[in-house]
Amino acid sequence: MTYLAYAVVAWVFAVGVYGAIVSRNLIHLALCLTVTQSSTYILLLTLGYRHGGRAPIFKGVKLGTAAVDPVVQSLTLTDVVVSVTVIALILALALDVHRQSGSVDPDEISTLNG
Amino acid sequence: MSSRQRLRGVIAAPVLTVLGGILLWGFSGAPAFGDFHGAYGDLLNRIAVPQRHTTNVVTAIVFDYRGFDTMGEEFILFASVVGVVLLLRDIRKPAGSKDDAVQSDAIRLFGVLMVGVVVVVGLWLAAFGLVTPGGGFQGGVAIAGGIVLVFLAAGYRPWRAFGREALLDPFEGGGAASYVALGLAALIAGTPFLHNLLGNGTTGTLLSGGSMTLLNWAVAIEVAAANLVLYTEFLESYLVPHLSER
């Protein structure tokens, strides 16, 4: 059980990269990148987890109660924001590519421009 | 699946298996699941409430202990929205499209009712961000999600009342700018950048956190407006040419 969470991280990462490699559509590619990045959320939250720890929110909870690491949680928040900005830019670029070349298939785009 | 794609898959699979193996090998040096003892996190869990009077330690980190990083994070979002606006600007054709109205009455009714509910949930997430789970980023996304329901439930024309850049840009820029302004105000007062000027307030209430509350709302406004600008840009670059073709 101990390494299950880490195995999930490696699996999600590999699946995302595999999708990006076989992708034939820029929008699909952007989604694969998001899947790959999602593995980092799982990794961060896994690292910060503590057995028996609650969420690091102390409303109505005695101070000193065991809680999970709050630092990795705020890093995950940053990670999510970056992910959103990246996917927004990639999708905008995909629209731009589609307008220029009439296709969202990376292979066709390179032959058209080559 | 084309033969080229299948070939790529065949080449990628062993490489990714090795990569996954190396990742797992690396993780074997990480602390066992549930056994992490980060000194910084443990310390903050103990001192954040007495020191900052905010019961949500994650938000305290975002807006106070690492407040400077959050300013950078906010400007990453701002820069990317500017990038999207610039990239999609040329695609847009002059407005004058037919309305792509939603036909089902049930969807219209349910969707329009949900607009208020989702926006209130967003405001609640943002308002109580320093007390209970939530915060400006999460609340801002929910507020934008509630407003985009106007498009999903009622169609493009009612959505245009909200999805206009002239309306959204001041909020987006203003949210980002007021974060910096709050930081500079602390400098002018002779304290470090982003120092809490308003005192800590009462623990566990809406009036806790002092300046953090203002930073939280600055981020909520910025995130909500940034998301709405993104929705506006993508919807227009897709819908306006699409609708005018028909």
Side-chain angles (χ1 to χ4, degrees):
Chain A
M1 271 308 281
T2 321
Y3 285 102
L4 180 63
Y6 292 114
V8 171
V9 173
W11 169 250
V12 172
F13 184 88
V15 164
V17 175
Y18 179 84
I21 289 171
V22 301
S23 174
R24 295 210 50 191
N25 183 321
L26 287 176
I27 291 164
H28 176 255
L29 187 69
L31 291 177
C32 291
L33 195 73
T34 312
V35 170
T36 312
Q37 189 162 15
S38 305
S39 70
T40 61
Y41 314 153
I42 309 172
L43 178 62
L44 280 168
L45 296 176
T46 302
L47 273 176
Y49 181 72
R50 288 177 65 179
H51 281 304
R54 321 170 19 102
I57 287 152
F58 294 93
K59 170 79 178 160
V61 177
K62 206 158 108 298
L63 206 62
T65 316
V68 301
D69 196 294
V71 179
V72 288
Q73 299 213 349
S74 73
L75 288 178
T76 309
L77 180 62
T78 309
D79 204 354
V80 173
V81 173
V82 171
S83 167
V84 169
T85 63
V86 166
I87 196 163
L89 271 178
I90 292 179
L91 290 177
L93 284 168
L95 271 172
D96 198 43
V97 164
H98 185 260
R99 184 172 52 122
Q100 306 261 348
S101 67
S103 168
V104 285
D105 183 342
D107 292 338
E108 275 181 38
I109 294 156
S110 57
T111 46
L112 281 173
N113 291 344
Chain B
M1 208 186 247
S2 71
S3 61
R4 198 168 172 181
Q5 223 178 344
R6 198 169 297 128
L7 180 68
R8 280 188 196 168
V10 169
I11 298 173
V15 175
L16 286 170
T17 312
V18 173
L19 185 70
I22 293 174
L23 265 177
L24 282 177
W25 181 44
F27 292 152
S28 68
F33 182 63
D35 210 26
F36 179 70
H37 291 282
Y40 191 35
D42 282 348
L43 184 70
L44 286 173
N45 271 341
R46 289 188 179 282
I47 66 169
V49 178
Q51 207 177 39
R52 298 289 191 255
H53 294 197
T54 52
T55 45
N56 183 346
V57 180
V58 180
T59 311
I61 293 171
V62 169
F63 293 117
D64 192 301
Y65 295 107
R66 294 169 58 90
F68 191 66
D69 294 6
T70 304
M71 192 175 85
E73 185 182 339
E74 208 188 18
F75 277 90
I76 291 174
L77 182 64
F78 187 77
S80 108
V81 170
V82 171
V84 169
V85 170
L86 288 175
L87 274 169
L88 296 183
R89 178 141 289 168
D90 294 343
I91 295 183
R92 207 172 321 155
K93 291 179 183 160
S97 56
K98 275 187 285 180
D99 200 352
D100 189 18
V102 177
Q103 300 299 328
S104 158
D105 286 338
I107 290 179
R108 286 181 78 99
L109 179 67
F110 182 71
V112 170
L113 285 176
M114 287 308 285
V115 171
V117 175
V118 177
V119 169
V120 168
V121 168
L123 289 170
W124 170 71
L125 275 174
F128 284 90
L130 295 159
V131 183
T132 49
F137 284 99
Q138 297 89 325
V141 171
I143 292 167
I147 295 174
V148 86
L149 273 174
V150 172
F151 165 73
L152 294 176
Y156 183 70
R157 210 170 284 278
W159 154 257
R160 283 293 288 164
F162 305 95
R164 275 185 294 125
E165 262 189 75
L167 179 77
L168 295 170
D169 282 349
F171 284 102
E172 205 214 345
S178 42
Y179 200 105
V180 181
L182 284 161
L184 289 175
L187 268 189
I188 290 165
T191 52
F193 190 69
L194 283 175
H195 184 79
N196 191 344
L197 290 176
L198 301 177
N200 285 327
T202 319
T203 307
T205 66
L206 269 186
L207 291 171
S208 63
S211 297
M212 267 192 265
T213 312
L214 300 178
L215 293 175
N216 185 40
W217 278 110
V219 165
I221 291 167
E222 144 84 11
V223 169
N227 273 284
L228 286 172
V229 170
L230 289 180
Y231 300 150
T232 308
E233 287 296 323
F234 281 110
L235 278 175
E236 285 185 5
S237 64
Y238 170 71
L239 273 180
V240 173
H242 186 72
L243 291 173
S244 52
E245 270 166 20
R246 288 197 302 193

